[in-house]
Amino acid sequence: MRPLDAEELQALTLFASGKTAEEMALALGVSKSMALHYLRVAARKLGARNRVHAVAIAMRMDLIKPAVGGD
């Protein structure tokens, strides 16, 4: 597995906490399409079937932590 970049990890974390693509883009300071690109690349690097599977893999590998609280 290729290591995930900081942006890919941040995108996965935001997605896991329920953020929309627009909210992720704002938090990352990029366009919506770039935020979604980070998720696609992260999923591919993790060998995931989709974004939700990528979050599950990343959490199982302790790459990201579950959100606490909601924000």
Side-chain angles (χ1 to χ4, degrees), residues 9-25 27 36 39 51-52 55 59 64-71:
L9 287 169
Q10 192 174 3
L12 278 172
T13 301
L14 291 166
F15 183 72
S17 68
K19 301 297 184 199
T20 65
E22 290 83 7
E23 291 168 330
M24 289 176 13
L36 292 173
L39 285 177
R51 294 179 288 194
V52 173
V55 166
M59 289 176 74
I64 63 172
K65 301 291 181 199
V68 177
D71 281 330

Side-chain angles (χ1 to χ4, degrees), residues 50-66:
N50 54 49
R51 294 179 288 194
V52 173
H53 189 213
V55 166
I57 293 169
M59 289 176 74
R60 194 170 50 242
M61 296 176 70
D62 286 326
L63 297 175
I64 63 172
K65 301 291 181 199

